[in-house]
Amino acid sequence: MQQPDFSAHTLRRFAALATALGLVLSLAVVAAVVWLGWYEYQEVLESDRARSELEARVIDDHATRTVETASLVLAYVGSQLHAADMAQAHRADPLLAQALAALPFVRSLHLLDGTGHVLASTAASDVGMAVPLERMGPTPAPGRDVLGVFQHGRGLSALGSAAPSAATNIGFIPFSRGLRNADGKPLLLVALINPDFLSSFQLLTLGDQHGSVYLLNYQGVVLVSSGPRAANPGAVFADHPVFRKFLPSREHFTYEGDGASPGTQVVSFRLSKTRPLVVVVEQPLALTREHWLTSVRWFITAAVVCVLFLVLTTVGIRRSLRARERGLVALENARAEVVRKEHDLHVLVKSVQELLFRTDPEGVLTYVNERWMAVTGHSVAQAQNHALTEWVCEADRAGVAQLFALDNTAAVRTKTASMRASDGSLHRFDIAVVPLWEGEDIIGFAGSAVDVTERLAAESALQHQLDFVAFLLEISPLPVATFDRYGRYVSVNRAWEDFTGMLRSRVIGQTASAFMAAADAALHAAKDAEVWRSGGSLRYESALRHRDGSLREVIITKVVLPGDEQHANGGLLSTLMDVSEFRAAERAKDAARHAAEESSRTKSDFIANISHELRTPLQSILGFSELGMMRGKDQPRLMGMFTDIHAAGARMLALVNDLLDVSKIASTLGAVNLERTDIRGLIGPVLQELTPQIHAKSLAVDMQLGPVPLIAKVDPVRFAQVVRNVLANAIKFAPAQTGIALSAYLTGEDRICVSVRDHGAGIPPAELDRIFEAFVQSSRTQDGSGGTGLGLAICKTIMDAHGGRITAENAPDGGAVFRIYLPARRSAQRETDFHSIY
């Protein structure tokens, strides 16, 4: 049976089709394997992420409940110890032992006084021992508790040692609660939490996994750690990505990346909802990949076998078809070789954009290419049998005729001549002619003509532009000079000559260093080297000698000029700007400012010194007046005299303290120390402090602080001072048996507002803008019923330091309203010191 006669093109298509089909099938198999492998990897990774999140949630819940349980028990014990006789050791010890039995995770309970002496303890050997309280962390306020950091040792006795051993990880986590006994003395109830209790639960939660768990506080200090890569208790993870990137904006999250252990980890962290605790669970990402490879190994093997089969089959088919194709192609190539070469030569000549021509020995055209018609507008037939000189302008004919002189022995003859184009315009051509020799006789000429009209026009325009730029530089009011690559002057303008007093004929071709001192030459040479390296521009100040002999301060700008093909940088352009008068004005302004600042400092120092000198005798007056009041209780007249002395001294001491506050706040000694605080906890104690004055005038206080935490960064002492001053003013000017409204709330502008309103006489409208100035009093209080005129000025200074403000206005129905504004922090961020970390 006769086989079909396929052409080489058909065989090539069959080979390409077979190759494409095999490739498509192979890619389809590979794509399916990749997709399934990726899908399986995502499933394994998602499973590990979910397990890490669950483990973090379970461990966080256990740690939080452990601390909360300890807090509840300590609160109960604290309530029992409040009785007058319960703080004694023989009564407190049974109560502590009973509480310890309810806390399996606590090693021991201790009751300490305010100086750190152990009053009672479940460990009898610790009673009477003095404990450094600073080792257990911040001391909690009464009714508050604080979780400390890991301490090495088995009990409080380890805190008392000068250098506690850290050779082992045996230790405890102190958990303290502040108390006050019936006499009002501070006490401290301390529970030593056993970290092994938390570690055992962590290991139980992890099971046989290869992950690690870290229980940290908000400062990144490790409290408890478990797993094969457990960290030493007390280690600081402040640089952990959880603290650097996610906290405090996220309360829980899972990611793949850096962790405490080397290599990429699957990290899941979670913040405790009620306690300053962070749980971090890490599992090596390599373990996830191992699980994934185990699950897809058999599938990848089958896919590789399938792909190899397809590839081998495709290669066999392609080789068979390509062998037949090569035989046919060799035959077809042999037939087309001659035709192709002739065609290539024709196309080459046709595609040349120059005018190609051939003449006889007398210069008569015998051949021109098709470009001739596009340029001149005449056909090839019209050009032939005419001398080339007939097509050029009459002025150039003699020169063109010399190109065809038989006695000219030059190998290549050139001439520039003008010819009319098809549109009637005059074009310039560079004509080149080569003689054709046959033996010793010239049988003709071959040549070309290149249209150079645009190039000549561009050269003319460039020269005009260069002349224009040179003119602009010459008339520039700024001194301008240009240098070559070797630092020699190339040009200077008229302003440069006027500034330096030197003529350009003297400096052109000379280096700049020849006209300045060695030190100045070294400075400018270094700047030149810097701008040459950067290849851009440089601006700096220096002092140059003016033509009148004076030194002038100038701003020097140097720019690298573009070069040619051989040199990327062609030279430097330098401009000078005389700024001597400007700098003199700046120095005068600085001197005036320094004088004003020195005057202000002198005034503040004087007030501070006078105030300190006044406090010494005032303390003696107050002390002796208090002693006289105590001894004169049985003598009313003597008691009244000492009471008046004490009141006057107290008033003067308040004035001195206000002066000191003004001096401190105006200096660096009065800087505020900002902390994240719920300001509701600062307002209540201030109101409690002023209760005697409130009761003395039978005032009713309506306090509305709301249930939502009002979180702000404040200096607790200074902010309480502002609230105290404003509230004391409201009490002072409120009529007896009226009311005061005290409220704190969030405004719609994400700010916290504390409002204090009284029902007194109010403030004259004309004085509302001045009452916050120092030593300014309302006209209604200048009879002596007011203060020193410093209280509200201090309040304004403190609020300015907090980034807030204080305002005053009159209520429509009488009385004054003072409002204190603070920038609010998001309430979702708990009262922690995260921002102090970052």
Side-chain angles (χ1 to χ4, degrees):
M1 182 176 181
Q2 184 179 3
Q3 294 184 351
D5 186 14
F6 295 110
S7 65
H9 177 68
T10 303
L11 292 175
R12 190 180 302 113
R13 291 181 59 187
F14 284 167
L17 182 61
T19 303
L21 182 60
L23 182 61
V24 168
L25 292 175
S26 300
L27 291 178
V29 173
V30 172
V33 172
V34 171
W35 183 85
L36 290 175
W38 176 84
Y39 180 82
E40 182 65 21
Y41 179 78
Q42 294 299 320
E43 289 292 319
V44 174
L45 179 59
E46 189 61 28
S47 176
D48 287 347
R49 287 170 59 98
R51 183 176 61 254
S52 296
E53 291 178 0
L54 180 60
E55 290 170 350
R57 185 182 297 113
V58 171
I59 294 172
D60 168 58
D61 182 66
H62 177 263
T64 301
R65 284 190 288 105
T66 299
V67 177
E68 289 293 341
T69 301
S71 177
L72 291 175
V73 173
L74 292 186
Y76 170 77
V77 174
S79 66
Q80 297 299 315
L81 292 175
H82 186 69
D85 56 346
M86 284 302 293
Q88 301 177 6
H90 68 281
R91 292 184 177 273
D93 284 344
L95 182 60
L96 296 180
Q98 180 184 0
L100 182 61
L103 300 172
F105 52 88
V106 173
R107 286 185 174 168
S108 57
L109 293 172
H110 308 269
L111 180 63
L112 286 71
D113 62 11
T115 61
H117 287 82
V118 179
L119 303 178
S121 173
T122 56
S125 59
D126 292 342
V127 176
M129 180 180 62
V131 178
L133 297 181
E134 65 275 5
R135 292 282 301 278
M136 294 190 295
T139 302
R144 300 294 181 92
D145 48 43
V146 172
L147 182 65
V149 299
F150 183 92
Q151 301 292 337
H152 292 278
R154 294 185 177 276
L156 287 182
S157 58
L159 298 179
S161 60
S165 175
T168 66
N169 287 334
I170 298 176
F172 58 87
I173 302 173
F175 182 69
S176 308
R177 184 177 182 85
L179 306 174
R180 287 192 185 277
N181 61 10
D183 297 332
K185 295 181 179 180
L187 298 176
L188 193 65
L189 188 58
V190 180
L192 306 186
I193 298 177
N194 184 4
D196 293 339
F197 177 84
L198 300 172
S199 179
S200 299
F201 182 83
Q202 293 174 359
L203 291 174
L204 182 63
T205 303
L206 290 177
D208 58 349
Q209 299 297 324
H210 298 280
S212 300
V213 179
Y214 307 95
L215 180 62
L216 317 166
N217 62 12
Y218 281 168
Q219 284 74 36
V221 179
V222 177
L223 303 179
V224 182
S225 177
S226 303
R229 289 167 294 279
N232 292 327
V236 180
F237 281 7
D239 290 332
H240 196 286
V242 169
F243 290 86
R244 287 189 294 104
K245 297 180 180 179
F246 300 104
L247 296 181
S249 60
R250 289 180 179 268
E251 296 185 357
H252 58 84
F253 189 65
T254 301
Y255 70 94
E256 294 81 49
D258 294 337
S261 303
T264 304
Q265 306 287 320
V266 178
V267 182
S268 181
F269 70 89
R270 193 173 190 88
L271 272 69
S272 173
K273 293 185 179 298
T274 59
R275 293 293 169 179
L277 297 174
V278 181
V279 174
V280 179
V281 178
E282 295 184 359
Q283 175 182 302
L285 187 61
L287 186 61
T288 300
R289 292 172 180 154
E290 290 178 6
H291 295 163
W292 170 70
L293 287 174
T294 301
S295 64
V296 300
R297 186 173 301 161
W298 64 269
F299 187 78
I300 293 177
T301 302
V304 170
V305 172
C306 183
V307 170
L308 287 176
F309 173 78
L310 290 174
V311 170
L312 293 175
T313 302
T314 302
V315 170
I317 295 174
R318 178 179 175 83
R319 284 184 176 180
S320 176
L321 294 175
R322 291 291 290 178
R324 295 186 62 185
E325 176 193 349
R326 282 193 293 271
L328 293 175
V329 169
L331 180 59
E332 291 177 358
N333 288 342
R335 294 173 179 173
E337 183 66 21
V338 176
V339 177
R340 183 181 63 79
K341 289 183 178 180
E342 293 179 355
H343 176 74
D344 289 346
L345 181 60
H346 177 73
V347 171
L348 177 63
V349 174
K350 185 177 180 181
S351 62
V352 173
Q353 296 301 309
E354 301 176 3
L355 293 177
L356 300 181
F357 58 87
R358 183 172 177 175
T359 69
D360 60 13
E362 286 76 27
V364 177
L365 294 172
T366 59
Y367 168 82
V368 292
N369 65 344
E370 294 184 6
R371 181 65 177 167
W372 180 274
M373 181 175 179
V375 173
T376 64
H378 297 87
S379 66
V380 174
Q382 291 175 326
Q384 292 176 349
N385 300 320
H386 289 273
L388 181 61
T389 54
E390 297 179 16
W391 298 99
V392 300
C393 294
E394 185 175 356
D396 298 321
R397 288 177 180 174
V400 173
Q402 288 297 320
L403 297 176
F404 304 101
L406 298 178
D407 57 351
N408 191 340
T409 60
V412 179
R413 310 169 185 182
T414 60
K415 176 65 177 177
T416 301
S418 299
M419 296 176 63
R420 291 288 176 182
S422 58
D423 57 359
S425 60
L426 196 64
H427 284 222
R428 297 287 288 175
F429 288 86
D430 281 345
I431 303 174
V433 173
V434 177
L436 301 176
W437 296 86
E438 186 176 288
E440 296 182 357
D441 298 326
I442 297 177
I443 61 173
F445 295 90
S448 65
V450 180
D451 191 343
V452 294
T453 305
E454 294 182 357
R455 189 194 72 190
L456 295 176
E459 291 176 351
S460 176
L462 177 60
Q463 185 60 45
H464 175 75
Q465 185 69 22
L466 291 176
D467 294 341
F468 180 70
V469 171
F471 175 74
L472 291 180
L473 292 177
E474 182 66 18
I475 66 173
S476 172
L478 296 178
V480 180
T482 59
F483 303 86
D484 61 14
R485 292 190 302 275
Y486 305 102
R488 296 174 299 202
Y489 283 101
V490 176
S491 66
V492 297
N493 67 345
R494 189 180 308 161
W496 190 92
E497 291 178 317
D498 295 340
F499 183 87
T500 62
M502 293 185 291
L503 297 177
R504 66 188 69 189
S505 58
R506 177 186 174 190
V507 299
I508 298 298
Q510 302 293 323
T511 60
S513 59
F515 303 100
M516 60 181 66
D520 294 337
L523 170 65
H524 294 292
K527 296 297 183 181
D528 290 348
E530 181 179 350
V531 73
W532 280 117
R533 285 193 303 270
S534 64
S537 61
L538 179 67
R539 192 174 190 180
Y540 63 96
E541 291 194 28
S542 182
L544 293 180
R545 185 73 61 182
H546 192 260
R547 66 183 302 168
D548 60 7
S550 62
L551 277 178
R552 299 292 181 91
E553 296 180 71
V554 296
I555 295 178
I556 302 176
T557 303
K558 294 186 176 181
V559 181
V560 177
L561 300 175
D564 51 23
E565 295 180 355
Q566 296 181 352
H567 302 283
N569 300 326
L572 283 180
L573 174 68
S574 175
T575 63
L576 309 178
M577 180 182 293
D578 191 344
V579 294
S580 302
E581 296 181 356
F582 178 74
R583 292 292 181 261
E586 281 187 337
R587 288 191 287 271
K589 181 188 69 173
D590 292 341
R593 184 179 70 253
H594 292 328
E597 291 175 351
E598 182 63 26
S599 175
S600 176
R601 277 196 300 272
T602 303
K603 179 194 70 175
S604 298
D605 292 344
F606 173 75
I607 293 175
N609 292 335
I610 291 298
S611 301
H612 279 294
E613 293 297 329
L614 290 175
R615 290 186 71 176
T616 301
L618 281 176
Q619 294 294 343
S620 299
I621 294 172
L622 290 175
F624 282 110
S625 63
E626 290 176 355
L627 181 62
M629 292 168 61
M630 293 175 60
R631 294 185 177 181
K633 292 181 179 179
D634 298 332
Q635 302 180 40
R637 183 177 180 185
L638 185 60
M639 179 69 175
M641 293 168 55
F642 278 112
T643 301
D644 292 342
I645 293 172
H646 187 274
R651 175 177 171 81
M652 183 170 288
L653 181 60
L655 174 60
V656 170
N657 288 335
D658 285 345
L659 288 172
L660 280 176
D661 280 342
V662 170
S663 176
K664 287 180 180 180
I665 293 173
S667 67
T668 57
L669 295 176
V672 296
N673 299 313
L674 301 181
E675 301 176 4
R676 286 181 55 81
T677 307
D678 185 350
I679 65 169
R680 298 180 303 170
L682 302 176
I683 297 174
V686 173
L687 183 62
Q688 186 69 26
E689 178 184 339
L690 298 176
T691 299
Q693 293 91 315
I694 294 173
H695 288 170
K697 299 185 71 173
S698 300
L699 299 175
V701 178
D702 180 16
M703 184 170 65
Q704 300 290 337
L705 300 183
V708 179
L710 302 175
I711 307 298
K713 293 191 72 171
V714 299
D715 184 326
V717 176
R718 292 298 185 185
F719 183 74
Q721 181 180 358
V722 174
V723 176
R724 184 181 300 109
N725 284 351
V726 174
L727 195 55
N729 279 349
I731 295 171
K732 182 185 300 182
F733 298 112
Q737 299 181 350
T738 59
I740 294 176
L742 172 61
S743 62
Y745 53 89
L746 278 172
T747 68
E749 301 174 353
D750 199 20
R751 294 187 301 173
I752 295 175
C753 176
V754 179
S755 174
V756 179
R757 188 226 169 142
D758 60 55
H759 292 79
I763 305 168
E767 300 174 3
L768 282 173
D769 295 334
R770 298 186 63 249
I771 60 173
F772 294 106
E773 299 177 7
F775 304 105
V776 173
Q777 299 184 36
S778 172
S779 58
R780 298 177 180 175
T781 61
Q782 290 179 349
D783 57 356
S785 61
T788 62
L790 292 174
L792 292 179
I794 293 173
C795 291
K796 183 179 184 302
T797 304
I798 293 175
M799 293 313 300
D800 289 343
H802 281 75
R805 62 191 180 95
I806 181 171
T807 64
E809 62 183 45
N810 290 318
D813 54 348
V817 181
F818 283 81
R819 292 186 174 89
I820 304 168
Y821 293 97
L822 281 171
R825 295 296 185 271
R826 288 177 293 175
S827 60
Q829 298 177 348
R830 280 170 294 281
E831 301 173 52
T832 65
D833 54 349
F834 278 127
H835 289 279
S836 66
I837 299 175
Y838 304 118

